[in-house]
Amino acid sequence: VNNRSRNAARSAGARQVHKQQTYQALLHAALHLMEDQSFSSLSLREVTREVGIVPTAFYRHFRDMEQLGLALVDESFDSLREMLRSARIEPMPDKHVYRHSVEILARYVHTRRLHFRFIVRERYGGISVVRQAIRRELRLFVSELATDLIRFPDFSRWSTEDVRMVAALIVNAMFATAEAILDVPAERPEAETEIIQTAEKQLRLVLLAVPHWRSSTPPIGA
Amino acid sequence: VNNRSRNAARSAGARQVHKQQTYQALLHAALHLMEDQSFSSLSLREVTREVGIVPTAFYRHFRDMEQLGLALVDESFDSLREMLRSARIEPMPDKHVYRHSVEILARYVHTRRLHFRFIVRERYGGISVVRQAIRRELRLFVSELATDLIRFPDFSRWSTEDVRMVAALIVNAMFATAEAILDVPAERPEAETEIIQTAEKQLRLVLLAVPHWRSSTPPIGA
DNA sequence: TGTACATCAGTGAACGCGCGTTCACTGATGTAC
DNA sequence: TGTACATCAGTGAACGCGCGTTCACTGATGTAC
């Protein structure tokens, strides 16, 4: 008997499963409602209405909207990290490495549209707590990209700080590209091609400079 | 008599002057209140309360908050253009052109703090009408910078499109830098030095690539 | 397996509040002669 | 300059509305034996 109850507690019961579904529905409803508005102008009642539960049920899942916002930051950065992992794993054609990288970005912007939109929208704009959380995650994200870059021979003698500088530049360009793709009007899908071409050129330009770089604050011994 | 009335109408009467002052006070109050919140979460009543007029008096100046937002876009981009003009007019030391450019940016971020914050915050985040207006102004701003760049010998054989691509990259890095400066905590002012150094390096890196660039879509005849 | 009790996701009524907007108004400023 | 009328920035009361949050509740699911 004791065993059975322990197992029931360990594996998810019907109640737990259902709660988890509502939780996910709240996150998705919030992202979905951000089509035409920012997170800060989203109301608790709107979100619960979209999910189909009563406003007070919200408090079974989050203390307030701020906490929901933080959950969205976590979920959205999971998508970004997955993108980075794709870029690492997929075979990179030496010839078209820039094109291929930008295409991975474009693909994730489409499949994880709501997550990208959330980060782009709330990165500078929204409520303080969410903005801080995004800023923190973004710093980690830049570091992860820097770690990837440093493996390439061109960066082998670079200082950590300078690699981060390049990574930050690329991440900024990447987000501007993501925003541009998100903004392509439905009636002009061909606009995306131009955006991708521009992003590819920007990436190519930045990495073209790398072999010629000489830091103004060279590492000790240089 | 007729003359006098015409002159009175032409030169600003006391009433006109006072109305203009209230108008400016509304714009400034809105920018000021955006310290801890975005424009979309700003209420008409908050703004009039800050100015010290009754809510209904707002309608003597703007049809609604959206119109006030558009006025803020115009005013803010005037500040940005003034910055570009500074960069054109001031003598550029050949040796430290990157450092100097970034310092002009930093100076304007401080003197026009509220305008920069407004653009950075509302560029991706806020209400649609304001976002569209910023996007439009930003495209013009990129073109203006491209026109400035194209005067430099390194860009002489570049296509217009490619110069715009570089200008857009620089403007994005510039805004990321502006945001970072705006975000420097009051108790750590020395953080700004690092931000400026990074921005300078990014600018140097991008322009280092320029002489080595070969467009993948070369102009006819190349 | 069956029963008695505990848990807890979701309900529904109620609250006080700040909001945008309407309307008729006031009184200082401007205009006409 | 003086007077009579027009303009219009700002006033103040009032409205209906959606909001976040409280509270006591219900009833399906879970637990103990």
Side-chain angles (χ1 to χ4, degrees), chain A residues 65-84:
Chain A
M65 283 293 285
E66 236 173 48
Q67 297 301 309
L68 185 148
L70 292 178
L72 288 176
V73 173
D74 285 348
E75 204 189 61
S76 298
F77 271 91
D78 284 347
S79 287
L80 252 68
R81 296 224 160 72
E82 200 184 303
M83 178 181 71
L84 222 52

Side-chain angles (χ1 to χ4, degrees), chain A residues 137-153:
Chain A
E137 291 289 337
L138 220 42
R139 270 199 295 268
L140 292 175
F141 188 76
V142 167
S143 296
E144 288 171 42
L145 180 58
T147 307
D148 286 349
L149 288 179
I150 218 163
R151 293 204 191 97
F152 287 90

Side-chain angles (χ1 to χ4, degrees), chain A residues 52-72:
Chain A
I53 59 175
V54 112
T56 48
F58 180 89
Y59 297 103
R60 297 287 173 198
H61 302 278
F62 302 100
R63 188 151 35 80
D64 50 29
M65 283 293 285
E66 236 173 48
Q67 297 301 309
L68 185 148
L70 292 178
L72 288 176

Side-chain angles (χ1 to χ4, degrees), chain A residues 135 138-147 149-150 155 158-171, chain B residues 198 202:
Chain A
R135 200 191 309 284
L138 220 42
R139 270 199 295 268
L140 292 175
F141 188 76
V142 167
S143 296
E144 288 171 42
L145 180 58
T147 307
L149 288 179
I150 218 163
F155 287 101
W158 281 50
S159 71
T160 310
E161 191 199 337
D162 282 3
V163 179
R164 266 193 67 92
M165 176 273 289
V166 176
L169 186 63
I170 290 172
V171 168
Chain B
T198 301
Q202 289 177 336

Side-chain angles (χ1 to χ4, degrees), chain A residues 4-68:
Chain A
R4 186 146 56 86
S5 74
R6 282 215 201 103
N7 285 335
R10 214 174 290 148
S11 71
R15 184 141 78 184
Q16 251 179 88
V17 170
H18 186 247
K19 183 174 186 181
Q20 191 58 25
Q21 282 171 352
T22 308
Y23 178 92
Q24 286 298 331
L26 285 165
L27 291 183
H28 185 266
L31 288 175
H32 184 71
L33 288 166
M34 285 175 66
E35 179 74 48
D36 303 308
Q37 61 184 321
S38 60
F39 181 75
S40 62
S41 62
L42 206 61
S43 76
L44 181 154
R45 280 173 183 264
E46 269 182 283
V47 176
T48 54
R49 206 182 298 131
E50 178 80 9
V51 170
I53 59 175
V54 112
T56 48
F58 180 89
Y59 297 103
R60 297 287 173 198
H61 302 278
F62 302 100
R63 188 151 35 80
D64 50 29
M65 283 293 285
E66 236 173 48
Q67 297 301 309
L68 185 148

Side-chain angles (χ1 to χ4, degrees), chain B residues 124-185:
Chain B
Y124 297 131
I127 60 178
S128 177
V129 169
V130 169
R131 202 164 59 234
Q132 304 297 333
I134 290 179
R135 202 192 306 287
R136 196 164 46 246
E137 292 288 338
L138 220 41
R139 270 198 298 268
L140 292 176
F141 188 76
V142 167
S143 297
E144 288 170 43
L145 179 59
T147 307
D148 286 348
L149 289 178
I150 217 164
R151 293 205 190 98
F152 287 89
D154 281 350
F155 286 102
S156 58
R157 294 186 55 83
W158 281 50
S159 71
T160 310
E161 191 198 337
D162 282 4
V163 179
R164 267 192 67 92
M165 176 273 288
V166 176
L169 186 62
I170 291 172
V171 168
N172 279 332
M174 192 191 95
F175 272 99
T177 302
E179 202 276 333
I181 291 174
L182 286 170
D183 198 53
V184 168

Side-chain angles (χ1 to χ4, degrees), chain A residues 102-205:
Chain A
V102 175
E103 271 167 2
I104 290 175
L105 170 64
R107 196 207 310 154
Y108 271 85
V109 170
H110 286 295
T111 60
R112 306 298 173 105
R113 182 179 175 79
L114 300 186
H115 289 153
F116 272 80
R117 195 173 63 195
F118 177 78
I119 295 175
V120 166
R121 286 263 181 93
E122 303 304 319
R123 180 184 178 189
Y124 297 132
I127 60 178
S128 176
V129 169
V130 170
R131 201 165 61 234
Q132 303 297 334
I134 290 178
R135 200 191 309 284
R136 195 165 44 245
E137 291 289 337
L138 220 42
R139 270 199 295 268
L140 292 175
F141 188 76
V142 167
S143 296
E144 288 171 42
L145 180 58
T147 307
D148 286 349
L149 288 179
I150 218 163
R151 293 204 191 97
F152 287 90
D154 281 349
F155 287 101
S156 57
R157 294 186 55 82
W158 281 50
S159 71
T160 310
E161 191 199 337
D162 282 3
V163 179
R164 266 193 67 92
M165 176 273 289
V166 176
L169 186 63
I170 290 172
V171 168
N172 279 331
M174 192 192 95
F175 272 99
T177 302
E179 201 276 334
I181 291 173
L182 287 170
D183 197 54
V184 168
E187 70 273 17
R188 281 192 66 239
E190 73 279 7
E192 187 172 326
T193 314
E194 295 170 34
I195 293 163
I196 288 176
Q197 273 174 11
T198 299
E200 185 200 337
K201 284 184 179 182
Q202 289 176 338
L203 188 58
R204 193 148 57 86
L205 184 77

